[in-house]
Structures are given as structure tokens and as C-alpha cells.
């Protein structure tokens, strides 16, 4: 009596636990899609894992309906179908044209053509336990293909030495989900539920090991990059700026001089010229006197330096002090 009661309670308990943990697994990519929404672009993210997951959930619902008495499988995968469909929809909104076309093709191939083919072949051609057996092995095969997505993420973590693409919650919930559904398959004597969760558990443990290895290295890489930025862009202090200005004035006394008036073509045309960036040469005016032309040419050859004004110098000082502050 006690053993039969325990045999009923344990599958129900593992089924509820599996539903709760699997919901966390389905929701674990939500940060990824928040990043896609914020950037208005899918970037390097791929849609294949979500299309495969939707197909796998659809197959498990069909398997549970054929087998009967598998309510936890139906509820769990129904939630999975809704969430994965929402992910795919958001991906299509922000995907590039090439990624959009690829996603639509894969979605139609798997979730429409392949699923319809499986249903149409297994319904008239198979009956009873044979149908359950065939569907069970199909579900196992595609469940294993779903675990190929975490393997790709693990390879990216190893290549980039960064866990940016693999938050800690993802491997943790994958491992807990594999344990829960393995227990459910064990106590319901459903080998097709047990089998895919063995490699699922191994992949989850491997992801957690990688996270432990590269978590500190990722932080060290970020700290080093921030240090390089700080070194490359030093902020001058106010004292150093003032000392630099004093040295500039000592080396070039003309910085404090007033603007000079330079004659133009005749005495009636006069204008003030200010040297803003670098010294320029005095242009040769059209003079009636030959001696004046010769004198102007000599000044051009020497490159007469025109002084800056006090006002301009004060403006430059204020700009340098504001940068230092």
C-alpha cells in the first residue's frame, strides 16, 4: 500500500518540479532578447536553438497525447511552445533580411513540414505501443539535437574566454531540469523521457565548470581593458596646465602683446590681424614704390610672426583649465 502510494506521489512531485524548473529554462534567454530589443538588432545571436526547441516541444506534446496519462509533459511543453514562439517572433522583428529568410525557412521545414509528416505517417500506419515507441525515439533524437545549442555556446566561451554569452542561470536550470525529468521518467518507467536527460545533465555540469573557469578571467580581461583606456586618456591636473601656460609665456613674450595694426594697400584701409593657430606669411601688396615692394618681399622671406592678443590668450587659458577641472 505504501509502495503504491509512493509510486504515485513521486512521479507527480517530479513532474511538478520539472514544470517549475523547465519554465526557468525557457525564461533563461530573456536577457538575451532584452539585449536584442535594446539594440534593435539580433547581432551574432542565432535563431536555430529556439526553432529546434519549439519543434521538440511540439513533438513531446504529441507523444504525451498518444501515450496518455502524461499531463506534466503536456503542460510543460505547452508553456515551452508559447515562450519559444514569442522568442522567434521577436527575433524576426529585429533580424536582418538574410537571418529573417533563414529563420522562416527552418521554421517552415521543421515546425510545419516535418511535424505534419510525422503526424500523417504515424497516425494511419502505426497503432498502440508501436506508435508510442516510434514517437518516443523521434522525441529522443530531436531532444538530443536541442542540446547541440549549449555545445555551441560552450565552444564560444572557450574561444572568447568570456562567459558573456552564458549566464550562470542557464547551465544551473538546465542541470536541475535534467535531474527532475530523469526522475519523472524513472518513476513512470518511461525510458524515452529518461534517455535525453542523461546528456542534458552532463552538458549542464560542463557549462557550470566552464563558467567557474572563465568567470574570473572575464573579469580580469574587463579590468585590463578599463586600465588601458585610463592610461591612454590621462586627465591633466589644473596645476600642470597652469605651469605649462607659464612656460609658454616665458618662451614667447609676444603672447601678452596687444594687436598690431598693419597697413594695407593705402593708409585709409587698415585692419587688425590676429594669429589664431600658427604663424603665417605677410602677403605682398601691390605697391607703387619699388622699394616698398622689395621690403615687403624681404619680410615674406623671413616669415614675420604676428603676435596673439591678450583676449585670445585668456580664452585659451580658460579652455585648458576647464578641461583640467
Amino acid at each position: 500500500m505504501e509502495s503504491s502510494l509512493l509510486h504515485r506521489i513521486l512521479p507527480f512531485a517530479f513532474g511538478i518540479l520539472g514544470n517549475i524548473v523547465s519554465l526557468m529554462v525557457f525564461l533563461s534567454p530573456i536577457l538575451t532578447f532584452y539585449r536584442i530589443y535594446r539594440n534593435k538588432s539580433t547581432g551574432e545571436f542565432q535563431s536555430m536553438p529556439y526553432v529546434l526547441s519549439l519543434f521538440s516541444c511540439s513533438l513531446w506534446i504529441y507523444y504525451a497525447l498518444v501515450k496518455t496519462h502524461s499531463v506534466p509533459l503536456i503542460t510543460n511543453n505547452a508553456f515551452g511552445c508559447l515562450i519559444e514562439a514569442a522568442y522567434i517572433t521577436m527575433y524576426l522583428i529585429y533580424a536582418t533580411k538574410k537571418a529573417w529568410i533563414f529563420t522562416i525557412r527552418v521554421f517552415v521545414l521543421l515546425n510545419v513540414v516535418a511535424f505534419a509528416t510525422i503526424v500523417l505517417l504515424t497516425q494511419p500506419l502505426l497503432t498502440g505501443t508501436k506508435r508510442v515507441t516510434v514517437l518516443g525515439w523521434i522525441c529522443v533524437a530531436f531532444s538530443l539535437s536541442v542540446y547541440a545549442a549549449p555545445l555551441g555556446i560552450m565552444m564560444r566561451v572557450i574561444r572568447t574566454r568570456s562567459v558573456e554569452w552564458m549566464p550562470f542561470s542557464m547551465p544551473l536550470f538546465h542541470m536541475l531540469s535534467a535531474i527532475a525529468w530523469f526522475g519523472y521518467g524513472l518513476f513512470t518507467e518511461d525510458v524515452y523521457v529518461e534517455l535525453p536527460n542523461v546528456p542534458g545533465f552532463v552538458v549542464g555540469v560542463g557549462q557550470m565548470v566552464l563558467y567557474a573557469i572563465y568567470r574570473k578571467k572575464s573579469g580580469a580581461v574587463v579590468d585590463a581593458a578599463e586600465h588601458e583606456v585610463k592610461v591612454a586618456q590621462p586627465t591633466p591636473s589644473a596645476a600642470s596646465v597652469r605651469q605649462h601656460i607659464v612656460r609658454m609665456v616665458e618662451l614667447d613674450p609676444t603672447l601678452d602683446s596687444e594687436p598690431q595694426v598693419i597697413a594695407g594697400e593705402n593708409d585709409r584701409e587698415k585692419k587688425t590681424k590676429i594669429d589664431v593657430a600658427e604663424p603665417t606669411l605677410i602677403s605682398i601688396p601691390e605697391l607703387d614704390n619699388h622699394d616698398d615692394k622689395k621690403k615687403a618681399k624681404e619680410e615674406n622671406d623671413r616669415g614675420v610672426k604676428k603676435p596673439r592678443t591678450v583676449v585670445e590668450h585668456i580664452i585659451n587659458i580658460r579652455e585648458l583649465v576647464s578641461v583640467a577641472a
Side-chain angles (χ1 to χ4, degrees):
M1 181 68 178
E2 292 181 358
S3 61
S4 62
L5 182 62
L6 190 65
H7 189 73
R8 292 179 181 178
I9 293 176
L10 287 177
F12 178 78
F14 275 99
I16 296 297
L17 180 61
N19 273 261
I20 295 172
V21 179
S22 293
L23 181 62
M24 297 297 103
V25 173
F26 291 133
L27 293 177
S28 60
I30 197 166
L31 293 178
T32 297
F33 282 89
Y34 174 73
R35 184 184 301 179
I36 290 175
Y37 169 76
R38 185 184 59 192
N39 298 333
K40 308 299 181 185
S41 172
T42 56
E44 297 182 2
F45 296 109
Q46 301 295 323
S47 61
M48 196 67 181
Y50 312 105
V51 176
L52 281 174
S53 181
L54 177 61
F55 181 54
S56 177
C57 289
S58 302
L59 286 176
W60 279 111
I61 291 175
Y62 180 45
Y63 169 81
L65 291 173
V66 170
K67 185 181 178 182
T68 68
H69 305 297
S70 298
V71 176
L73 282 177
I74 296 174
T75 56
N76 172 64
N77 290 285
F79 281 121
C81 285
L82 292 175
I83 296 172
E84 299 299 336
Y87 289 155
I88 294 171
T89 302
M90 182 175 290
Y91 185 91
L92 291 173
I93 292 173
Y94 297 108
T96 61
K97 183 177 180 180
K98 183 178 179 180
W100 191 91
I101 294 174
F102 175 79
T103 303
I104 291 295
R105 286 178 177 175
V106 176
F107 176 83
V108 172
L109 180 64
L110 291 178
N111 293 279
V112 178
V113 177
F115 184 75
T117 302
I118 291 171
V119 172
L120 292 175
L121 290 178
T122 54
Q123 282 295 327
L125 299 179
L126 302 172
T127 57
T129 57
K130 289 184 178 180
R131 183 186 298 167
V132 173
T133 302
V134 172
L135 285 177
W137 284 112
I138 293 174
C139 290
V140 169
F142 280 99
S143 293
L144 292 176
S145 67
V146 171
Y147 290 114
L151 291 177
I153 295 174
M154 292 170 69
M155 294 301 296
R156 177 176 293 181
V157 170
I158 295 173
R159 187 175 65 253
T160 61
R161 297 180 176 272
S162 172
V163 293
E164 177 187 2
W165 309 98
M166 189 180 67
F168 180 74
S169 60
M170 185 181 294
L172 176 63
F173 289 133
H174 270 293
M175 186 180 67
L176 294 177
S177 176
I179 293 173
W181 287 112
F182 180 84
Y184 177 81
L186 180 66
F187 290 107
T188 57
E189 299 179 354
D190 192 334
V191 68
Y192 306 114
V193 177
E194 292 179 51
L195 285 177
N197 288 289
V198 174
F201 175 79
V202 174
V203 171
V205 172
Q207 285 182 308
M208 295 188 71
V209 171
L210 284 180
Y211 188 90
I213 293 173
Y214 291 107
R215 179 177 62 86
K216 294 182 178 180
K217 292 185 178 181
S218 299
V221 170
V222 172
D223 293 341
E226 291 179 352
H227 178 70
E228 289 179 0
V229 171
K230 291 179 180 179
V231 172
Q233 298 179 353
T235 302
S237 63
S240 63
V241 173
R242 292 190 186 98
Q243 292 176 0
H244 180 68
I245 294 171
V246 171
R247 287 197 297 268
M248 289 171 59
V249 174
E250 291 176 351
L251 294 174
D252 192 357
T254 61
L255 289 173
D256 287 335
S257 61
E258 296 295 333
Q260 296 180 357
V261 178
I262 302 173
E265 292 183 359
N266 51 58
D267 294 337
R268 291 177 301 176
E269 296 180 356
K270 295 182 180 181
K271 57 183 177 178
T272 302
K273 294 190 177 181
I274 301 174
D275 181 15
V276 176
E278 57 183 358
T280 56
L281 298 179
I282 300 175
S283 61
I284 301 176
E286 295 181 1
L287 301 175
D288 296 331
N289 193 298
H290 178 74
D291 295 333
D292 291 338
K293 291 183 180 180
K294 183 177 180 180
K295 184 178 180 180
K297 186 176 184 304
E298 289 175 356
E299 288 179 351
N300 258 336
D301 295 337
R302 290 198 302 269
V304 177
K305 180 180 180 181
K306 292 178 288 186
R308 298 179 181 177
T309 65
V310 176
V311 175
E312 182 189 0
H313 182 50
I314 293 173
I315 292 174
N316 290 337
I317 292 175
R318 287 180 179 176
E319 292 177 350
L320 291 172
V321 172
S322 64
V323 171

